[in-house]
Structures are given as structure tokens and as C-alpha cells.
Amino acid sequence: MSNSSYHVLSELEIIEYVRKIPGLFSENAQLICKEIGDGNLNLVFRIIENGSSGKSVIIKQALPYARVVGESWPLTLDRARIESEALMIQNSICPGLVPKVYHYDKELALTVMEDLSSHIIMRKGLISRNRYPYFAKHIGTFLARTLFLTSDLALDHQDKKQKVVQFINPELCKITEDLVFTDPYYDAKTNQFNPLIKEVIEEIWGHGELKLEITKLKEKFLTHAQALIHGDLHTGSIMVTETDTKVFDPEFSFYGPMGFDIGAVIANLLLNFCSHEGHTLDQEERLQYQDYLLNTVEEIWIVFEEEFRILWKGKASEPYASIQGYEDDYILRLLQDSLGYAGCKMMRRVIGLAHVSDLESINDPKLRAKGERLALAIGQQLVLKRETAQKIGDLTSLVRYVKNQEVDQD
Ligand SMILES: Nc1ncnc2c1ncn2[C@@H]1O[C@H](COP(=O)(O)OP(=O)(O)O)[C@@H](O)[C@H]1O
Ligand SMILES: CSC[C@H]1O[C@H](OP(=O)(O)O)[C@H](O)[C@@H]1O
């Protein structure tokens, strides 16, 4: 099975392949396969057993290029290894919060994993203004556990360095370096934006102080091997039901700054917050849903901090972890980094390549521009003011203040 050389599998080949994996389906099972991928990079197949067993699995196969662009954008197949190995680590640290991995094939660059089709992509749920009462608890716990337990705070420093090597992921990191930190801040060919907000974007391109702060955040992304981060933790990488949360698609994983993951979650909730300015809905309903989103951001941080401090007390192996003031200082720096990365991730989704459907689903460009302008205003302030934040309430107050300036004064 793992001696075959790489080729892109057809749906029929996928069925033959999955049949041979022990313990998944019975030999004579009638299997149906469909390619369901809608992401930017890979193929995703769903295989279901026809009949009453209800058994199904997902096979995700990496292409030797980025799916969204085609063969002109070659991309390493090693990302499939990174993804499956990151999922296995996350499974051991946070069982139940990520899909189970059944099989990984290095030659074919594919992973066989748990089918989460009973869940929906969280971004879609938020666009429909659904509420997820357990999400903050789940994602706050996921962030605290995956970040703390893979860091120098918990691991032997030699073992941690081995993990840094295991997760060297230069090609995928380059995508982030370019698309998040570089291209949106000049007139790059990759950028795609609503022409109605060109004047705001030109102001950003000319904003020296902002570009300096973005460059500092980029430098930290390049150099700060703090923990094994997911690396692309947007709401399209999370599937939910009302009571369950699963984080998937960690192919951008590498040893990077913890705040990048926390900031990604916050940014995507805030992008959804901004999108409701452009969606046609009753003002009261809009305000209530926006409040729900800001409360969720606060709750995520509160759960994260609580869990992180529990781990600090019980699982820290770093001998200086108990140095007076270190824990508080570490957590404050995480908060400030999270604001900064949230700001970067909001702006990239409005100016750069790869937008979010929260905003893109607003058909009228004028209405979409309202949400996009707000996202750019909040994003800039999060980057510029990040070091003034002392508590999570400072972030949500800043968002409310900017919204008041940008929208409510119109
Ligand atoms: N384990 C899974 N269970 C159910 N659906 C999945 C699973 N993994 C991926 N998908 C579906 O495939 C889509 C693309 O998967 P994703 O991992 O985001 O691919 P890409 O790496 O190309 O972005 C997801 O949006 C989701 O609809
Ligand atoms: C051409 S890669 C652009 C963008 O796509 C990735 O997201 P996903 O694979 O989840 O759709 C990642 O965010 C990259 O920055």
C-alpha cells in the first residue's frame, strides 16, 4: 500500500484503496466515493458505505500544487505528513477536539481520518448567525493545551528542538509570510480587493507606523519557535455542532508564536462581526449577534488563560517557570501578540488573496464595502494598540470604539 509512487487517485482508486485498510470496512462493503474538497489546497474524498452501517471516512490527498491556482503554483507534498503528524499530536493532547487519524500514506501524501460530516463548517454557521454555547470552552481549551504542552514550558528543551525539526514547514510558512504579512501592505499582484475601498487600502500602503508594526509581527512569526501552532486556525478549519467542536486542517503547522493561533480565531470571529454590517438584517438582531461574538471572544480568552494557568501550575517543567512575575508577564505578552496577529489576519482577508465568505457572500459591493472598511479599521487598531492591552476587555472595548467611530456615526 505504501510502496506505490505518488499519483492523484481517482474516486474508483480511492474505493479500492480504502477497502485494503484493515478495520475500516468489511471486504464486500458497497462503497460510494465523492470528492468534496472546497479548500484552497487539497483533494478531500468522502467514502460512505451504502446500507445501514452508517460507516464513512474522509481521505485527504495533497496535490503537488495549490488546488486553487493549479500546476503553476507547485507545493510540497510533505504538507500531508505535517498535517497527519500534527493531528496525531493534537489527538493525544486534546482527544475529541480533532478528527481521529486512521492511516497516513507518505507515498500517496494522503491521510485517512474521521468523517465529520455530522458537523458544519463553523464559518457557515456564523454566517447563518447560529450560536455555539460550548465553542469558547472547547477552543479555549484546545488553544491552551496544544500551545502550552508543545512549548519549552512543558517539554524537555532537547525534545522540543527535535519537534521544531519535525515540523519545519518552509513552503507553507512562505505562503503565510507572503499572503498575511507582505503582500497586503503594497500593491502586490496577488492582492484582490473591492475597488470601492481602494482609497482606504492606499492609506494603509502609505502608513509607515502600521507597516513597522506589521514587520515586527512578521519577524516574530519568522523567528519565535514558541509552540507547535496550527498555523491556519480560521473558522473554515473548525467544524461544529451545537455541542461539539472539531479543529482540522493543520497543514500549516510549525513551531511559531502562540498568539498567531489565538489571533486567528479572534480575527475570524471579528470578520464575521464586521460582515453583519453589510448583510441585510434587523438592527436589533445585528447588535445582539455582534454582542454574542464579542462575548465569545472574551470567553475564549478567559478559558484559555484559566487552562493555561492550570497547566503552568501542574505541568511546567521549565525550572524558572516559578520565577516571580514570569507567568503574568508571559500571559500578557500572549494577549498582546494575539491582538496583533488578529489585526494582521483581518486585513489580509480584505486586501489580499483568499477572502472569507462572511464578507464575500454580501453581493452588493457598496454594502460589502461597509463591512470591509470596518474590518480594516479594527485590524489597524489591533496592530497599532496591541501593546496597550492589559486584559481581554481592552480588545472588545477597542472593537466597540472603532465600530462606533466607523459605522454608528455614519
Ligand atoms: N474530516 C472531515 N470530515 C468532513 N469533512 C471534511 C473533513 N476534512 C475536510 N472536510 C471537508 O473538506 C473541505 C476542505 O478541507 P480542508 O482540510 O479545509 O482542505 P484544504 O486543505 O484544501 O483547505 C472542508 O471545508 C470540509 O467541507
Ligand atoms: C492559496 S493558499 C491561500 C490560503 O488558503 C489557506 O486556507 P485553506 O487551505 O484553509 O483554505 C491558507 O489560509 C492560505 O493563506
Side-chain angles (χ1 to χ4, degrees):
M1 199 158 13
S2 57
N3 290 333
S4 58
S5 56
Y6 178 85
H7 65 287
V8 178
L9 295 182
S10 67
E11 291 178 346
L12 270 179
E13 287 173 302
I14 287 280
I15 290 180
E16 289 319 307
Y17 183 89
V18 83
R19 233 183 245 297
K20 293 184 192 137
I21 300 174
L24 288 183
F25 297 103
S26 59
E27 221 176 288
N28 302 321
Q30 274 200 335
L31 300 179
I32 301 166
C33 173
K34 194 170 171 354
E35 205 279 317
I36 58 161
D38 61 0
N40 288 319
L41 301 179
N42 304 291
L43 294 173
V44 178
F45 299 91
R46 181 166 189 238
I47 304 96
I48 319 170
E49 181 169 354
N50 202 6
S52 58
S53 81
K55 280 189 188 164
S56 59
V57 293
I58 293 289
I59 292 192
K60 178 167 175 179
Q61 186 178 32
L63 292 163
Y65 50 83
R67 174 188 178 133
V68 70
V69 177
E71 290 180 36
S72 62
W73 188 341
L75 205 52
T76 176
L77 294 175
D78 190 46
R79 67 189 193 271
R81 176 190 66 80
I82 296 269
E83 175 161 349
S84 67
E85 291 179 4
L87 278 176
M88 286 187 242
I89 290 177
Q90 292 162 352
N91 254 303
S92 69
I93 292 178
C94 292
L97 289 177
V98 288
K100 292 189 193 87
V101 174
Y102 301 132
H103 180 76
Y104 163 66
D105 186 323
K106 183 176 185 308
E107 295 294 326
L108 288 172
L110 65 78
T111 305
V112 185
M113 68 181 103
E114 182 182 352
D115 181 14
L116 306 173
S117 300
S118 50
H119 295 53
I120 65 163
I121 296 288
M122 183 166 192
R123 191 183 301 290
K124 292 187 184 159
L126 295 180
I127 293 171
S128 305
R129 295 189 299 285
N130 294 344
R131 292 172 191 233
Y132 297 101
Y134 297 92
F135 172 69
K137 174 78 183 152
H138 291 159
I139 203 74
T141 304
F142 175 86
L143 288 165
R145 291 187 63 79
T146 57
L147 298 177
F148 188 95
L149 293 171
T150 62
S151 76
D152 279 303
L153 294 168
L155 294 180
D156 168 82
H157 302 333
Q158 299 300 302
D159 294 345
K160 182 256 184 170
K161 285 179 182 68
Q162 291 303 324
K163 285 211 155 40
V164 174
V165 174
Q166 181 186 347
F167 285 96
I168 288 289
N169 196 359
E171 288 191 36
L172 282 279
C173 283
K174 181 172 166 27
I175 293 180
T176 303
E177 290 150 25
D178 292 346
L179 296 186
V180 177
F181 296 108
T182 308
D183 296 358
Y185 303 100
Y186 78 103
D187 193 5
K189 280 206 184 79
T190 52
N191 289 335
Q192 287 170 5
F193 51 81
N194 182 346
L196 295 181
I197 57 165
K198 186 152 194 229
E199 85 289 356
V200 188
I201 293 172
E202 281 172 341
E203 274 172 34
I204 287 177
W205 290 343
H207 196 322
E209 191 194 344
L210 177 71
K211 286 164 75 169
L212 173 61
E213 295 309 317
I214 297 282
T215 307
K216 290 183 198 167
L217 287 158
K218 178 179 178 183
E219 179 196 285
K220 194 173 254 187
F221 180 84
L222 288 163
T223 59
H224 199 38
Q226 195 175 19
L228 181 63
I229 65 171
H230 177 286
D232 194 24
L233 195 39
H234 56 82
T235 46
S237 298
I238 302 171
M239 293 184 84
V240 283
T241 64
E242 207 188 331
T243 54
D244 194 33
T245 304
K246 301 268 195 237
V247 176
F248 68 107
D249 195 17
E251 70 197 303
F252 283 78
S253 271
F254 79 112
Y255 263 81
M258 297 180 180
F260 192 76
D261 273 2
I262 308 166
V265 175
I266 294 173
N268 282 272
L269 293 172
L270 295 182
L271 283 164
N272 185 266
F273 174 100
C274 296
S275 75
H276 296 295
E277 292 303 323
H279 287 294
T280 325
L281 75 157
D282 170 74
Q283 175 72 350
E284 193 52 35
E285 193 184 347
R286 170 181 300 134
L287 292 177
Q288 279 180 11
Y289 197 69
Q290 288 178 328
D291 275 348
Y292 158 72
L293 292 168
L294 293 190
N295 291 340
T296 303
V297 167
E298 289 186 0
E299 206 187 327
I300 289 170
W301 178 266
I302 290 165
V303 171
F304 168 78
E305 181 175 343
E306 212 170 85
E307 293 286 326
F308 202 85
R309 286 187 187 278
I310 291 171
L311 291 165
W312 195 294
K313 209 169 259 111
K315 298 273 183 211
S317 67
E318 160 58 49
Y320 281 175
S322 56
I323 283 272
Q324 180 70 31
Y326 183 40
E327 181 181 341
D328 288 346
D329 178 75
Y330 196 104
I331 290 173
L332 180 60
R333 283 185 281 120
L334 283 187
L335 176 70
Q336 296 177 348
D337 284 357
S338 303
L339 263 74
Y341 287 121
C344 297
K345 296 212 115 196
M346 291 183 78
M347 289 187 275
R348 65 83 53 122
R349 294 293 186 187
V350 175
I351 306 174
L353 188 75
H355 286 211
V356 289
S357 51
D358 313 56
L359 287 161
E360 291 307 296
S361 57
I362 305 167
N363 291 325
D364 179 344
K366 272 196 191 150
L367 287 175
R368 195 179 337 118
K370 273 179 89 172
E372 291 170 331
R373 281 204 185 89
L374 180 59
L376 291 179
I378 293 172
Q380 288 182 72
Q381 291 307 310
L382 288 176
V383 169
L384 291 168
K385 304 265 168 63
R386 69 188 186 284
E387 286 177 359
T388 65
Q390 299 295 313
K391 55 186 186 312
I392 192 63
D394 295 339
L395 182 155
T396 47
S397 300
L398 186 64
V399 171
R400 286 185 208 282
Y401 176 79
V402 176
K403 186 192 157 208
N404 187 266
Q405 296 292 305
E406 285 289 314
V407 179
D408 302 343
Q409 310 280 318
D410 263 6

